[in-house]
Amino acid sequence: MLLAQSCRRETTTALEVAVPAPQALLSDAVQELKAWFFSHGRASFKRLKHAHARIVRLRLEQDCYLLNLLLKSLFESGNFRHARLLFDRIPSPNIYLWNTAVRGLVSADQWEEALRLYSLMRREGMCPNNFTFPFVLKACARILELQLGQKVHAHLCKCGLERDVFVKTSLLCLYAKCGHLNHAQALFDEMPEPSVISWTAIITGYMEEGKLEEALGLFKRMLQVGLEPDSFTLVRVLCICSQLGDSQAGERIHRYIQEKAMHCNVFVATSLVDMYAKCGDMERARQVFEQMPERDVVTWSTMVAGYSSNGFPRVAVEMFFRMQEEKVEPDCFTMVGLLSACAKLGALQLGHSASGLLDRRLFLCNPVLGTALIDMYAKCGDVGTAWAVFRAMESRDLISWNAMISGLAMNGLTKVSFSLFAQLEKSGLRPDGNTFIGLLCSCTHAGMVEEGRRYFHSMASIYSLVPKVEHYGCMVDLLGRSGLLGDARRLIQQMPVEANAVVWGALLSSCRIHRDARMAEDALKRLIELEPRNSGNYVLLSNLYASSGRWREAATLRRTMQQKGIEKVPGCSWVEFAGTVHEFRAGDRSHPLQEEIYAKLEELGKEMKAMGYMPTTEVVMFDVEEEEKEAALGHHSEKLAIAFGLISAAPGDAIRVVKNLRVCADCHAAIKLISKISAREIVVRDNNRFHCFRDGSCSCRDFW
């Protein structure tokens, strides 16, 4: 036999001259082989070849039961090609062997091959049964082969299996997966007593169609009829809560999970962590995480990504270090969350060294990983390395192109970003809304009003893209920064959608640049209406009142904040040194090197005053003495971070600082002089701009 050639080294006698064993010995050998298959489970390929050789040597090739055990073991060990060869050499396979082969191919993700085997099964005259059809329908669903699935549907009806709950559930999954949710619902409604699997299938169908509220309603109905969901159902429903941002429904499901003692299931608990993280409740996510008796790499990755996306990048980094201490190997998803945190912190060294924990080829062949690395380098100001990663990537999707275009834009390389957009079009990819956000930001940096207008109008006229509120925000920013405040205000009035905080914030920034106090006051009042809990808007309006000497109105605004329980978000800056991120707050004296830091600030203050520096005290929102205002300005968080960088980094090294709020006018002027005094490049990224200081000058670029 051809199949036995690989096994002949293990046999001592040629198969052609094998002597049949006595019946008693043969029966014992069969029982021994059966016991071996049951006890070894996923045996190695070599051991399975030994077992196959023994079957051949004992001339048991017609024993379908033994062959079925061998076939199943080959599929479970991952050798589906060898299993298919074995199946093809069986002269008259029974229905159990056909089902094992179809199931094995489906489990090995060989969808087309499984369907070809089903077609061969029909041509051979073998009638499929209720174990065959679920796997055939699953293969059809996975490759969205609706037409063939409908033929299978007709065939199973002829076989009288249309009432079988497992077959019907597989049909339901097929129609839902292929977008025919009405057919899926009709099949579900025909079931007299749908199983938990059937309920999970229809809930998943609604979920994948984006009908999340309906899916959640089905889950409530499932509980009302007295069925207890399994872990798969709960994972799906928690995912729905995550997408809806419905933490209240998530909390109710959490209580149900605790009542049923399912919180120890690592998949369910991880889904709970993910749900709370995506709803912005990291405190509850951390509670669930700490109570888990077992955590896998997915759970750790969820926590790292959750802290990063919810504005706690430093905690995300700490969580990653804790993960390493517990000897959990990071995967691609962990790395994406960590690189995102490094991008937010400006932690270039940490991001670069952390990326070395995975094979470099993974970043080049995996678009998600490569894009995260590009984004990290670009947001840390190292656009050259970001470009090198982009060029070396083996596979680039549209998100990768968009990340590179935006990276070039935020680093001021306007012409290069335009050139890359032209390459994107030539590559055959169709740009989306995010592509144009990057292009419009490039136009803003370079003050290219006409080019920005051309790109904005081409979205609808050439690419059939409807501009969203973010694109209007970019245009308002472009027009406003170019001094066309009237045009920017008119564009807001003409918008087909209601202007949001992004749009009014863009207008406010332009008003501050061009000192239009009246329009700035109007923009701030709109922002306070849109974001009544955002302390930053109140502070900016108070600063506006303070700068024009309107102290009574500034005090009234502060009282309003106190009455509403709105606290000013403290200024916080981060600077990286030797792979460690150091955090500073305004007036902070908790750092181990605080004596040296404040001494350095005092030294810099004297040198700056000798160069003519005068503190911009009108940005201080309190009506206090001038000396107190100067002291408050001198200890802003970004100044402390820069002073630490100056005393820690090697001479000539660039200092990169990230701040959670806007850099004030005084700090901006002071850092210009510090860059000249220290002969250093200082890059400060606040919550919406890059400020690159070199030799007493500064280039500012929007950060989106």
Side-chain angles (χ1 to χ4, degrees), residues 111-122:
W111 319 114
E112 292 87 352
E113 190 65 26
L115 294 175
R116 279 194 287 270
L117 193 63
Y118 167 73
S119 299
L120 177 62
M121 181 181 187
R122 293 203 60 191

Side-chain angles (χ1 to χ4, degrees), residues 578-589:
T580 301
V581 177
H582 297 259
E583 182 177 291
F584 295 90
R585 296 178 182 269
D588 191 2
R589 290 188 176 271

Side-chain angles (χ1 to χ4, degrees), residues 40-56:
H40 280 72
R42 291 193 179 186
S44 68
F45 186 40
K46 185 176 180 180
R47 287 193 171 194
L48 290 172
K49 286 197 295 181
H50 277 288
H52 184 202
R54 191 173 183 195
I55 290 171
V56 173

